């Protein structure tokens, strides 16, 4: 049953991501080229989309790691916070949260580092389960017209998260892991749980 629920979430993400990519390709074939498509796929038609999976540590990270099949199918990389626990990610950001008095400085560092990662990797899709370290990538996805997918955390069945509220507006696909979370977000779809 748990495996089935996880597969439902994978299917929602993969199908929606493929739908977005195919929609862009169809527009290209029909000659309806938009600025966004030109920017994203000019000279890159023969490669798989690159996926950036980013989240903070702890439960958010444990949920995000369940999306490893996406990296196996497409190309991509993981980003998380640097903690005492050794994790299998390509990049590590400064750990912070809203209660951290050093948060503005850490967010500034993380934002500069996120820009470096962005220019080096040039992702097409950004997928996150939250929280603050994903925010610079959310901003970059808006600036560079890339697709941003937010998966609300499994740990909040009956209330929205601050990250979810802040990032919903420009998110291309907003997935919740509980049916009860849909009432907090305008465009949320239920994708099943990642666990």
């Amino acid at each position: 049953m748990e495996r089935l629920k996880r597969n439902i979430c994978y299917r929602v993400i993969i199908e929606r991501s493929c739908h977005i990519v195919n929609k862009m390709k169809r527009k290209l074939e029909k000659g309806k080229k938009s600025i966004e498509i030109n920017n994203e796929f000019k000279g890159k038609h023969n490669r798989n989309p690159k996926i950036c999976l980013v989240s903070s540590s702890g439960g958010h990270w444990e949920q995000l790691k369940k999306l490893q099949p996406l990296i196996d199918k497409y190309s991509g990389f993981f980003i998380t916070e640097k903690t005492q626990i050794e994790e299998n990610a390509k990049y590590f950001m400064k750990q912070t949260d809203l209660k951290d008095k050093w948060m503005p400085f850490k967010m500034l560092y993380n934002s500069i580092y996120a820009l470096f990662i962005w220019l080096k990797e040039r992702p097409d899709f950004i997928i996150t389960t939250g929280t603050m370290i994903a925010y610079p990538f959310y901003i970059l996805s808006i600036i560079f017209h890339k697709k941003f997918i937010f998966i609300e955390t499994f740990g909040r069945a009956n209330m929205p998260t601050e990250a979810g509220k802040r990032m919903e507006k420009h998110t291309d696909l907003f997935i919740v892991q509980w049916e009860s979370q849909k009432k907090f977000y305008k465009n949320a779809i239920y994708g099943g749980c990642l666990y």
Side-chain angles (χ1 to χ4, degrees):
M1 188 63 181
E2 288 178 4
R3 190 182 179 90
L4 177 63
K5 284 181 179 177
R6 193 163 61 233
N7 286 340
I8 291 171
C9 200
Y10 291 157
R11 200 168 57 237
V12 169
I13 294 166
I14 290 169
E15 285 178 359
R16 291 293 177 125
S17 299
C18 289
H19 174 72
I20 292 168
V21 172
N22 289 333
K23 192 175 170 185
M24 290 176 177
K25 285 181 178 175
R26 280 198 301 274
K27 282 185 179 178
L28 277 175
E29 288 166 4
K30 290 178 182 176
K32 296 177 181 176
K33 297 179 181 179
S34 67
I35 293 171
E36 179 183 350
I37 293 168
N38 279 331
N39 288 341
E40 286 189 13
F41 289 98
K42 189 176 181 181
K44 302 176 185 175
H45 301 285
N46 295 323
R47 71 167 179 85
N48 279 333
K50 184 176 265 190
I51 301 170
C52 167
L53 292 154
V54 55
S55 83
S56 59
S57 55
H60 299 279
W61 175 244
E62 291 303 317
Q63 292 165 55
L64 193 72
K65 285 195 297 185
K66 303 291 183 188
L67 298 175
Q68 178 65 45
L70 289 176
I71 300 293
D72 298 338
K73 183 171 182 179
Y74 305 101
S75 63
F77 55 95
F78 281 104
I79 303 171
T80 189
E81 295 170 327
K82 180 74 175 169
T83 63
Q84 294 178 345
I85 301 169
E86 192 170 322
E87 297 290 357
N88 187 22
K90 189 169 183 180
Y91 300 100
F92 294 93
M93 313 285 277
K94 294 277 186 194
Q95 187 175 29
T96 188
D97 61 43
L98 293 171
K99 295 174 185 172
D100 185 354
K101 67 178 181 180
W102 298 107
M103 189 194 82
F105 301 102
K106 290 179 179 177
M107 285 301 293
L108 178 62
Y109 172 87
N110 283 346
S111 298
I112 294 168
Y113 191 41
L115 181 60
F116 166 77
I117 295 169
W118 190 279
L119 294 174
K120 183 179 177 186
E121 299 286 350
R122 299 184 181 278
D124 300 298
F125 291 86
I126 298 85
I127 302 176
T128 185
T129 51
T131 60
M132 292 306 290
I133 74 160
Y135 201 73
F137 293 93
Y138 168 71
I139 299 296
L140 289 168
S141 72
I142 297 169
I143 294 170
F144 291 100
H145 303 284
K146 300 298 181 181
K147 301 302 175 191
F148 190 85
I149 298 169
F150 189 97
I151 303 172
E152 184 58 291
T153 182
F154 180 77
R156 297 280 187 91
N158 295 309
M159 61 186 298
T161 62
E162 193 61 36
K165 288 191 289 186
R166 288 182 186 215
M167 293 188 240
E168 183 190 14
K169 186 174 181 182
H170 295 289
T171 294
D172 296 283
L173 179 60
F174 197 99
I175 298 171
V176 292
Q177 299 188 60
W178 294 93
E179 284 278 3
S180 56
Q181 289 175 321
K182 284 173 69 176
K183 64 185 174 194
F184 301 116
Y185 304 105
K186 210 177 200 178
N187 301 312
I189 62 164
Y190 173 65
C193 97
L194 285 167
Y195 287 117

